[in-house]
Amino acid sequence: QVQLVESGGGLVQPGGSLTLSCAASGIIGSIKDMSWYRQAPGKERELVASISSSGTTKYADAVKGRFTISRDNAKNRVSLQMNSLKPGDTAVYYCKSVAGSSWLWAYWGQGTQVTVST
């Protein structure tokens, strides 16, 4: 019933740009924080960026200045604008939403592949 669907991934050359989008549906509670994680083969999953319900943002040092996270509360969507992409950005990107009222739950998307290569 709860579904988070990522889109916008693909193959891009170094220095290029991509915009990822995540649409949440079936969440009946209030969505609190929304965030993007990524995981490359053989590496741990890491937090890339997060945004609170009030709009406060945080970024990993590796992407700060290049990536921008934003959200559309009316559409329950979170986006990640990625500029000046590097091969090190290659990974599967996952969106996460934390929602609820008295109880909070974390919901994860299936992930979308981003490959930065020539």
Side-chain angles (χ1 to χ4, degrees), residues 16-29:
S17 299
L18 283 175
T19 299
L20 305 182
S21 180
C22 175
S25 62
I27 300 178
I28 60 177

Side-chain angles (χ1 to χ4, degrees), residues 6-10 20-21 36 91-95 109-115:
E6 300 99 337
S7 62
L20 305 182
S21 180
W36 287 95
V92 177
Y93 285 70
Y94 301 89
C95 67
Q110 291 291 327
T112 184
Q113 177 71 46
V114 173
T115 302

Side-chain angles (χ1 to χ4, degrees), residues 5-117:
V5 180
E6 300 99 337
S7 62
L11 175 64
V12 65
Q13 294 185 346
S17 299
L18 283 175
T19 299
L20 305 182
S21 180
C22 175
S25 62
I27 300 178
I28 60 177
S30 176
I31 299 179
K32 307 301 181 182
D33 294 341
M34 304 186 78
S35 57
W36 287 95
Y37 288 75
R38 68 185 183 186
Q39 186 170 26
K43 297 183 178 180
E44 67 276 7
R45 183 174 297 188
E46 63 176 346
L47 175 65
V48 177
S50 65
I51 183 169
S52 70
S53 59
S54 62
T56 301
T57 59
K58 293 183 178 181
Y59 297 93
D61 290 340
V63 307
K64 192 171 185 177
R66 299 187 296 120
F67 291 10
T68 302
I69 188 172
S70 61
R71 64 187 290 171
D72 185 335
N73 292 330
K75 297 181 179 180
N76 288 340
R77 297 181 70 91
V78 59
S79 298
L80 185 68
Q81 181 182 340
M82 305 183 294
N83 298 324
S84 301
L85 284 163
K86 306 174 181 179
D89 297 319
T90 297
V92 177
Y93 285 70
Y94 301 89
C95 67
K96 184 182 80 172
S97 295
V98 177
S101 53
S102 58
W103 288 94
L104 298 179
W105 300 90
Y107 304 94
W108 291 87
Q110 291 291 327
T112 184
Q113 177 71 46
V114 173
T115 302
V116 184
S117 176

